[in-house]
Amino acid sequence: MALMLGSEKALPIPGMPKVEFLDEGKTLARWTFASADLAAQRAEFNHWLGWFGFDEGDQPHAVEGNTWLVRKHG
């Protein structure tokens, strides 16, 4: 599926990853992506991070296949 803006190139619409918080304070989360493609995972992460309470400074500290561990900073 793609979003078309006039005559511009199609923009991908990222899917929603599964996000599980691993602590009570919701500072550590396991993100599981449908795709094994790292570029697609990055696009989905960047698209959804605010939805799950993360900001642009929060980055994964462990990546294994389609699973990322992300810790909130701050």
Side-chain angles (χ1 to χ4, degrees), residues 2-44:
L3 174 65
M4 298 296 291
L5 300 174
S7 62
E8 298 176 25
K9 292 174 58 176
L11 300 173
I13 297 176
M16 180 183 272
K18 179 180 179 183
V19 176
E20 302 168 272
F21 288 95
L22 305 176
D23 63 341
E24 288 186 28
K26 294 189 173 187
T27 60
L28 179 64
R30 178 187 304 122
W31 290 59
T32 305
F33 301 91
S35 174
D37 178 63
L38 189 56
Q41 293 172 9
R42 174 58 66 183
E44 290 178 17

Side-chain angles (χ1 to χ4, degrees), residues 35-53:
S35 174
D37 178 63
L38 189 56
Q41 293 172 9
R42 174 58 66 183
E44 290 178 17
F45 177 75
N46 289 339
H47 181 81
W48 290 104
L49 62 96
W51 178 265
F52 291 106

